Amino acid sequence: MTLPATVAVDVGGTKIRAGSVIDGELAHVRSVPTPATSGAQAVLDTIAEVTAAVVAEASGSHGGESAWRIGIGAAGVIDPATGTVVSATDSLPGWAGTDLVTELSARSGLPVRVVNDVHAHALGEAAAGASRGTRSSLLVAAGTGIGGGFITDGHLLTGRNSAAGHVGHVPSAAASGLACPCGGTGHVEAVASGPAILNTYRRLVDTSDSPTSAPNSVAGHEMAAPAPGNTRELAAAASAGDELALRAFDIGARALGSALGGISNILSPEVIVVGGGLAEMDETWWAPLREAFAAELIPATSGTQLVKAELGQDAALVGAASLWNAEQRETR
Amino acid sequence: MTLPATVAVDVGGTKIRAGSVIDGELAHVRSVPTPATSGAQAVLDTIAEVTAAVVAEASGSHGGESAWRIGIGAAGVIDPATGTVVSATDSLPGWAGTDLVTELSARSGLPVRVVNDVHAHALGEAAAGASRGTRSSLLVAAGTGIGGGFITDGHLLTGRNSAAGHVGHVPSAAASGLACPCGGTGHVEAVASGPAILNTYRRLVDTSDSPTSAPNSVAGHEMAAPAPGNTRELAAAASAGDELALRAFDIGARALGSALGGISNILSPEVIVVGGGLAEMDETWWAPLREAFAAELIPATSGTQLVKAELGQDAALVGAASLWNAEQRETR
């Protein structure tokens, strides 16, 4: 008897992770750097290599015959129906326009399904994570950017141009006038993403340093450790009690919580699952997020759950594998 | 042979409209005042009376035997699965908790299906109006309040607690600090609904009247016709060139357009259909709406259509009748 087995692959701008999923169990996970600057063909070759390695290792340990197929969550706007990259950011030069299904089927000899990586993340949490067993859920990935995926009755909403789920690109009063990576201004990502919070911190420092507005606390601040150079260091500064760092996280979290409250009033999901790097923060970030979220809910949506993602970086792999579940399909 | 025929009913706070839908054709439409202050039982009796009158009239003109059923779009948060009113505003005292399906089946002897009236509006435009033939659409009803309904692959999104579609209750920078009818503050409905635009106008007048900020145009303004007492009169003043009236509509339209742009980035519908009283305005309202909408769209959602509803108040009737279409079901 030949059993179905899936190689799940998560293709990001910096690394490619892959693992086997057999009977819902993720195993044989490996990770390699993405040869992003070498172009799409090099990335495809690397995906094929790591996929073959997972198959070889899993087949050796699994015993019996398996019917392998590939499920991919990939960076960029992905059309699951055609398996092509509709558009992509500069982090993967030449990625836009790549026909992932055709290219990887040709390299591997295996059937391939593909979806956007954040959408895979949403499918993974719904299949086996924080939103398992719900009829509707919104996954929000809050980190370098802010993305999301909405699932209703087991179906991922992909939308026109496969563009659904860009939860970071709703207007936010706290982001008024701030440039957003999408090219627009005033979107919540421009104040609530990790890099945006670091920018807020730097503006707060600049403002506090100016003689006209410097409060007493600033003197102490200037005597502290070297200025945080990334969001991780800023989080450490906040944990150590740095007032401006705390304020920057508070501003970002409130902006995101407010946006997610508004989105709840439109989608009314059972649960909003928050993952990504910012979700790893403590109550410094979660408390204002929850408070601002609850403040936006109308009576009919009050009580909507806002919880932390459970599967970490494995979510995209579990979700990519779920593309091969019989009941899974996308909805527009 | 017995042919299926539907009585479609639109139950609002001020009137009840009903008509027959046979072979997709709406006919025998009649309208009666809603006995709202007399309580839910009186409203149910009136629905049953008007429904019976439509059946009698349509049966007389239709000839042959018909298998009648009732489709209702009703004010309030409605659970289509149980046919009950989850919650309602003060415009229909005692309406919350009413089991519409049981009560009206008992009164009429006919099978009954029910959905929220704005959701019925969305279903109607998708079935036979501005969004017919699309895979996904968002209907926005902009008038006394701002509501909506999202349809994907033919399924209405009802969400947890049947609360999906409250597009008026997303945060808006233009509404900062303004009280919203939902009990919250800062939602787009608080600046973009008809009554909210009238409030903005009154604030503008107050501000302009103050000696410190009065521009030259204000003298002319004070000599104009009596102050507009409702949104319709304000629209007339705007058409006549009243600067503050124009500005109030501009502020409301931009706030709504911006909110709808953000929503497009999440849902990526093929089309957003705008109905309700405000959609009857001219370019005074539509031009800033479109401009603000387009400014929020990310590259992947740019080109999302924003169009005017086509069916007017018949949309809710056509949509209520469509509850009996074989392929129609709601999704959570």
Side-chain angles (χ1 to χ4, degrees), chain A residues 77 87 135-136 150-153 155 157-167 169-173 176 182 184-185 187 258-259 261-270 295-304 329-332, chain B residues 77 87 135-136 150-153 155 157-167 169-173 176 182 184-185 187 258-259 261-270 295-304 329-332:
Chain A
V77 173
S87 61
R135 282 192 65 180
S136 60
F150 177 58
I151 293 172
T152 174
D153 281 334
H155 299 153
L157 177 69
T158 54
R160 174 179 169 273
N161 283 353
S162 308
H166 284 95
V167 297
H169 302 284
V170 295
S172 166
S176 286
C182 74
T185 58
H187 291 168
S258 180
I263 293 168
S264 289
N265 292 337
I266 298 170
L267 300 179
S268 196
E270 284 188 34
E296 301 294 347
L297 299 177
I298 61 176
T301 61
S302 70
T304 305
R329 67 170 191 81
E330 75 275 9
T331 186
R332 281 181 62 195
Chain B
V77 173
S87 61
R135 282 193 64 181
S136 59
F150 178 58
I151 293 173
T152 173
D153 282 333
H155 299 152
L157 178 69
T158 54
R160 172 179 169 274
N161 283 355
S162 307
H166 285 93
V167 297
H169 302 283
V170 295
S172 167
S176 286
C182 73
T185 57
H187 292 167
S258 179
I263 293 168
S264 289
N265 293 337
I266 298 171
L267 300 179
S268 195
E270 284 187 35
E296 300 295 347
L297 299 178
I298 60 174
T301 60
S302 70
T304 305
R329 65 169 194 81
E330 76 276 8
T331 186
R332 280 182 61 194

Side-chain angles (χ1 to χ4, degrees), chain A:
Chain A
M1 187 181 166
T2 307
L3 293 172
T6 306
V7 191
V9 193
D10 179 9
V11 182
T14 57
K15 68 182 174 185
I16 297 168
R17 285 183 92 233
S20 65
V21 178
I22 300 174
D23 290 340
E25 286 294 312
L26 176 65
H28 308 297
V29 175
R30 54 180 63 207
S31 179
V32 297
T34 307
T37 54
S38 303
Q41 292 300 317
V43 175
L44 291 164
D45 289 343
T46 303
I47 296 172
E49 284 163 24
V50 73
T51 300
V54 168
V55 170
E57 189 182 336
S59 298
S61 71
H62 187 53
E65 202 68 8
S66 294
W68 287 94
R69 61 268 175 113
I70 300 175
I72 301 178
V77 173
I78 308 288
D79 181 351
T82 64
T84 55
V85 182
V86 177
S87 61
T89 65
D90 296 341
S91 68
L92 283 170
W95 195 235
T98 303
D99 181 340
L100 292 170
V101 166
T102 301
E103 296 278 359
L104 288 167
S105 294
R107 280 169 172 78
S108 66
L110 301 177
V112 176
R113 290 183 183 171
V114 61
V115 74
N116 165 268
D117 54 355
V118 180
H119 288 172
H121 193 154
L123 290 169
E125 291 289 340
S131 46
R132 66 185 173 280
T134 63
R135 282 192 65 180
S136 60
S137 60
L138 177 70
L139 179 281
V140 178
T144 309
I146 293 177
F150 177 58
I151 293 172
T152 174
D153 281 334
H155 299 153
L156 173 72
L157 177 69
T158 54
R160 174 179 169 273
N161 283 353
S162 308
H166 284 95
V167 297
H169 302 284
V170 295
S172 166
S176 286
L178 298 179
C180 183
C182 74
T185 58
H187 291 168
V188 69
E189 182 170 298
V191 69
S193 74
I197 291 171
L198 188 61
N199 286 340
T200 299
Y201 169 78
R202 287 170 176 160
R203 281 195 304 277
L204 290 172
V205 169
D206 288 349
T207 311
S208 300
D209 283 351
S210 77
T212 51
S213 65
N216 288 340
S217 63
V218 170
H221 180 264
E222 287 179 4
M223 290 163 58
N230 57 43
T231 314
R232 192 173 297 271
E233 290 171 15
L234 189 66
S239 289
D242 182 308
E243 265 188 42
L244 299 185
L246 286 165
R247 211 189 300 168
F249 278 108
D250 187 86
I251 290 169
R254 281 184 198 282
L256 181 59
S258 180
L260 296 183
I263 293 168
S264 289
N265 292 337
I266 298 170
L267 300 179
S268 196
E270 284 188 34
V271 61
I272 293 185
V273 178
V274 186
L278 288 167
E280 299 304 317
M281 301 265 313
D282 59 14
E283 287 297 301
T284 299
W285 187 78
W286 276 96
L289 181 86
R290 274 195 226 97
E291 188 178 298
F293 173 76
E296 301 294 347
L297 299 177
I298 61 176
T301 61
S302 70
T304 305
Q305 298 293 307
L306 184 72
V307 303
K308 186 178 170 180
E310 291 179 2
L311 302 184
Q313 58 181 352
D314 288 346
L317 294 178
V318 173
S322 81
L323 294 173
W324 287 97
N325 292 354
E327 69 275 16
Q328 179 54 47
R329 67 170 191 81
E330 75 275 9
T331 186
R332 281 181 62 195

